[in-house]
Amino acid sequence: MTYLIEGRDGPWELVVGLEVHAQVISRSKLFSGASASYGGEPNTHVSLVDAGFPGMLPVINRECVAQAVRTGLGLKARVNLESRFDRKNYFYADLPTGYQISQFTHPIIGEGAVEIELVDGSTRVIGITRLHLEQDAGKSMHDQDPARSFIDLNRAGVALMEIVSEPDIRSPEEAGAYLRKLRMILRYLGTCDGNMEEGSMRADVNVSVRKAGEPFRTRCEIKNVNSIRYVMQAIEVEAVRQVEIWESGGSVDQETRLFDPARSETRSLRSKEDAHDYRYFPDPDLLPLVIEEAWVQELASHLPELPDAKRQRFQDEYGIPRYDAGVLVAEQPTADFYETVARGRDPRLAANWVIGDFFAALNRTGRTIQDSPISAEALGGMLDLITDGTINGKIAKDVFEEMLANGETAAEIVERKGLRQVTDTGAIDAAVQAVLDKNPDKLAEYRSGKDKLFGFFVGQVMKAMAGKGNPALVNEALKKVL
Amino acid sequence: MSLDPATVRRIARLARIGIDESDLPALQRELNGILGWIEQLNEVDVDNVEPMVGTGHAALRMREDVVTDGDAREAVLSNAPDAAGPYYTVPKVVE
């Protein structure tokens, strides 16, 4: 479905490209031995290299390079065996050296692709232009003092991957789908935690509009949007703003803007005089980064199974619907949980329970799969009791709630509460007869053609048996008598 | 290549160097002199020559991912013209 902005003079098409800054998971920083972990005391995760002291030299962290290569492989992208580092010069108080070490002309990762899926089930491929390594900046706080800004350099020098997409995105929905998919891939790879609230993944959004068939028009860049929902909103309002400018005879200026979610508008961020002039040049402190093909192969051989492949395998191996497979692979721990439950059991029954009652229980209790009150083994044990006929599906729901409440195994609960399903046909026949004896009027109605009452009888029999009757046998017994 | 006064002013601004209007002509002359000198390199034919970025074994050495530094707030803040508690402070910067 094409997303169009209806202007006065007809429809406009949206063109969006995203630059995602993803904080690399590593113990230490990209070019210094200071800790890269989040949330230390202010200015304690800082070396003299990060603080920009004279004479300090950067030394690159091998793991950060490996993480970039893994991400490149996960994005089906070209890995450049030789890449370089440049200085991107600008002045800001939380950038002590006055430049950011980045990769401008020779990034470590080249073109790749991400497949996204939309609500209507259609898929699209969004091109990746490049991925490069660079340093994060420190943090400024402007609200501590009337006259001064406070600077914490703990984050300064932490490795970032900037992942640049092609301008292939054509709707806010596609932008959201792209970000979710990218985050899923990064999390599977273990190269970025994808936590947008804490700022370990942020997006710069390039937006322009055009009439169908036209070349690209001038774009604006909306900086540092920190949630997927805001990215989608920012695109929507920015596109409308640009259409209004073009239609009133004006022209859009190429500029940096920020998104204000409270007022749902974008505002110009930098004056034109300060328009980007970063005066990039090769960093003389750093030689070219040369990596071996053999090392790339080794990293490739240790990559985990990625979401697309896992989803396909779940469909093929377990015979579950594509939609269910998508839900189960959305998070790796969920996929692992499901596989533990499904192994050696009916995989569809397992999928239904995991996606249905189990997810609902997590939601209700505010727990995550990592600290789930019911283990995959325990849930599997309960499914075994359903499959071997010990309990029926209805009793299973009660057993599940008990497991949730007190952590007993299904077998223990069934034993303790005597919930074993009754398969003794003598007992079932007796219960059926008792119900018929008690409801002669209903029986007469049924016999005179009110077929719907069959359900009533089933319900009454199950009730008389405290829910423990084998539903198939109860049905059978009733049919025989009626 | 020759720089006009406006470009010289812009370069100074980007580098956050305050200069007097009266210094512009002299700076323009000096910068143009440097550029002219560098431009002599254009006379060398470097077609099909890989750019040389260093001498010897020209590849970056990598270090292992271990925390070996940090926890040195006093040293880090030692040169700060102004600090407040654990923070550097600077004249307020708000865009």
Side-chain angles (χ1 to χ4, degrees):
Chain A
M1 194 185 60
T2 323
Y3 178 89
L4 296 168
I5 303 123
E6 280 308 324
R8 263 201 323 264
D9 322 333
W12 293 76
E13 192 179 284
L14 181 66
V15 178
V16 174
L18 290 171
E19 291 167 21
V20 171
H21 292 89
Q23 209 172 80
V24 173
I25 294 176
S26 66
R27 281 187 282 273
S28 60
K29 294 184 177 180
L30 180 56
F31 290 114
S32 88
S35 167
S37 65
Y38 180 80
E41 286 294 305
N43 286 310
T44 55
H45 296 176
V46 184
S47 82
L48 299 183
V49 177
D50 310 315
F53 275 51
M56 297 294 110
L57 287 173
V59 185
I60 200 166
N61 180 340
R62 179 192 303 274
E63 175 62 10
C64 294
V65 177
Q67 293 287 54
V69 170
R70 289 183 189 110
T71 307
L73 294 168
L75 299 174
K76 304 188 185 79
R78 183 164 45 85
V79 176
N80 295 322
L81 296 181
E82 183 171 337
S83 64
R84 301 209 191 139
F85 288 94
D86 302 280
R87 291 185 179 181
K88 177 179 179 177
N89 300 278
Y90 65 93
F91 289 97
Y92 203 76
D94 54 26
L95 185 77
T97 49
Y99 59 84
Q100 175 193 36
I101 304 178
S102 180
Q103 298 191 293
F104 187 50
T105 49
H106 294 83
I108 184 164
I109 304 294
E111 298 86 358
V114 170
E115 188 179 277
I116 59 168
E117 185 172 317
L118 303 174
V119 173
D120 64 7
S122 64
T123 57
R124 279 204 65 206
V125 173
I126 306 298
I128 298 291
T129 313
R130 57 185 281 164
L131 174 156
H132 66 253
L133 280 168
E134 62 184 27
Q135 298 172 300
D136 206 345
K139 194 173 78 178
S140 304
M141 280 158 285
H142 305 298
D143 52 2
Q144 311 282 313
D145 184 287
R148 298 180 295 178
S149 293
F150 286 28
I151 313 292
D152 173 12
L153 295 182
N154 279 355
R155 222 179 52 194
V158 170
L160 296 179
M161 298 178 284
E162 177 169 330
I163 304 164
V164 183
S165 87
E166 293 287 314
D168 287 345
I169 295 164
R170 293 287 174 272
S171 71
E173 189 202 349
E174 288 182 15
Y178 169 79
L179 285 171
R180 274 190 296 273
K181 187 62 175 287
L182 183 60
R183 181 171 65 182
M184 198 194 295
I185 293 170
L186 295 172
R187 284 178 171 167
Y188 264 77
L189 291 166
T191 59
C192 168
D193 67 23
N195 190 333
M196 294 189 83
E197 298 75 48
E198 281 177 10
S200 48
M201 187 171 141
R202 326 187 269 277
D204 297 345
V205 192
N206 286 294
V207 181
S208 66
V209 295
R210 66 175 176 187
K211 300 269 187 178
E214 273 186 356
F216 297 142
R217 296 195 182 203
T218 311
R219 63 186 151 88
C220 287
E221 182 181 18
I222 308 162
K223 276 270 183 209
N224 261 329
V225 190
N226 64 2
S227 85
I228 292 176
R229 196 160 55 89
Y230 287 166
V231 167
M232 295 168 69
Q233 284 174 12
I235 292 171
E236 226 176 296
V237 299
E238 175 62 13
V240 169
R241 187 189 73 90
Q242 292 184 14
V243 166
E244 278 167 10
I245 291 176
W246 291 118
E247 292 199 332
S248 59
S251 64
V252 171
D253 292 331
Q254 182 164 349
E255 60 178 355
T256 305
R257 301 180 69 82
L258 66 79
F259 177 62
D260 179 348
R263 296 162 67 173
S264 195
E265 63 175 26
T266 67
R267 282 198 300 276
S268 188
L269 186 63
R270 292 198 179 120
S271 68
K272 240 178 282 173
E273 200 185 357
D274 277 341
H276 303 176
D277 190 343
Y278 292 126
R279 295 161 299 147
Y280 280 100
F281 64 89
D283 191 314
D285 288 340
L286 292 160
L287 289 163
L289 172 59
V290 179
I291 56 178
E292 302 283 330
E293 177 64 32
W295 188 51
V296 175
Q297 290 307 327
E298 196 206 313
L299 292 171
S301 71
H302 289 99
L303 285 190
E305 182 183 32
L306 290 172
D308 286 346
K310 198 184 279 286
R311 184 178 190 180
Q312 190 59 50
R313 181 170 64 78
F314 276 21
Q315 284 178 257
D316 297 344
E317 198 174 313
Y318 299 122
I320 58 176
R322 182 167 170 73
Y323 178 84
D324 290 2
V327 172
L328 291 169
V329 306
E331 307 268 353
Q332 191 152 27
T334 309
D336 294 344
F337 187 97
Y338 168 70
E339 289 211 84
T340 307
V341 178
R343 197 162 299 131
R345 304 197 173 91
D346 175 351
R348 289 188 216 201
L349 183 68
N352 289 340
W353 272 90
V354 170
I355 294 173
D357 294 75
F358 177 71
F359 277 4
L362 287 185
N363 271 335
R364 198 146 30 87
T365 54
R367 303 280 275 270
T368 66
I369 200 136
Q370 279 92 346
D371 66 345
S372 164
I374 297 180
S375 71
E377 289 74 16
L379 181 57
M382 194 201 74
L383 297 190
D384 288 340
L385 297 186
I386 298 176
T387 312
D388 70 11
T390 305
I391 54 176
N392 62 40
K394 186 171 172 305
I395 290 288
K397 303 238 176 207
D398 300 337
V399 170
F400 181 81
E401 289 306 321
E402 289 270 328
M403 291 167 72
L404 192 61
N406 57 30
E408 275 177 293
T409 67
E412 284 164 354
I413 294 164
V414 168
E415 208 48 55
R416 181 166 57 79
K417 303 189 80 175
L419 297 174
R420 194 171 286 274
Q421 162 168 260
V422 177
T423 49
D424 168 7
T425 47
I428 292 172
D429 288 343
V432 166
Q433 200 50 57
V435 167
L436 296 185
D437 292 345
K438 237 194 290 177
N439 298 281
D441 46 338
K442 292 280 196 310
L443 181 60
E445 282 181 55
Y446 180 84
R447 292 245 153 93
S448 64
K450 214 167 171 191
D451 290 352
K452 269 187 287 181
L453 278 172
F454 189 76
F456 165 81
F457 288 118
V458 173
Q460 289 302 308
V461 173
M462 288 303 270
K463 196 171 158 196
M465 302 184 71
K468 291 185 284 183
N470 176 313
L473 294 179
V474 169
N475 270 282
E476 209 174 290
L478 267 167
K479 265 186 208 142
K480 213 164 53 193
V481 193
L482 292 172
Chain B
M1 184 176 179
S2 153
L3 301 176
D4 58 16
T7 310
V8 175
R9 209 179 288 123
R10 175 168 167 72
I11 292 169
R13 181 180 156 65
L14 286 171
R16 298 297 189 276
I17 298 172
I19 54 168
D20 240 42
E21 272 303 295
S22 61
D23 291 336
L24 267 184
L27 282 169
Q28 185 185 358
R29 232 178 2 259
E30 276 180 31
L31 284 172
N32 277 330
I34 294 168
L35 286 173
W37 186 71
I38 300 276
E39 266 173 6
Q40 292 177 39
L41 291 174
N42 286 344
E43 291 164 23
V44 183
D45 179 8
V46 289
D47 282 354
N48 304 318
V49 179
E50 282 288 311
M52 188 183 85
V53 287
T55 54
H57 178 65
L60 206 51
R61 308 240 317 219
M62 297 194 252
R63 51 168 240 280
E64 293 309 312
D65 182 27
V66 281
V67 176
T68 55
D69 207 341
D71 265 327
R73 186 153 66 202
E74 271 176 41
V76 163
L77 294 176
S78 63
N79 280 0
D82 191 19
Y87 296 102
Y88 287 96
T89 64
V90 296
K92 195 152 210 149
V93 273
V94 184
E95 302 229 17

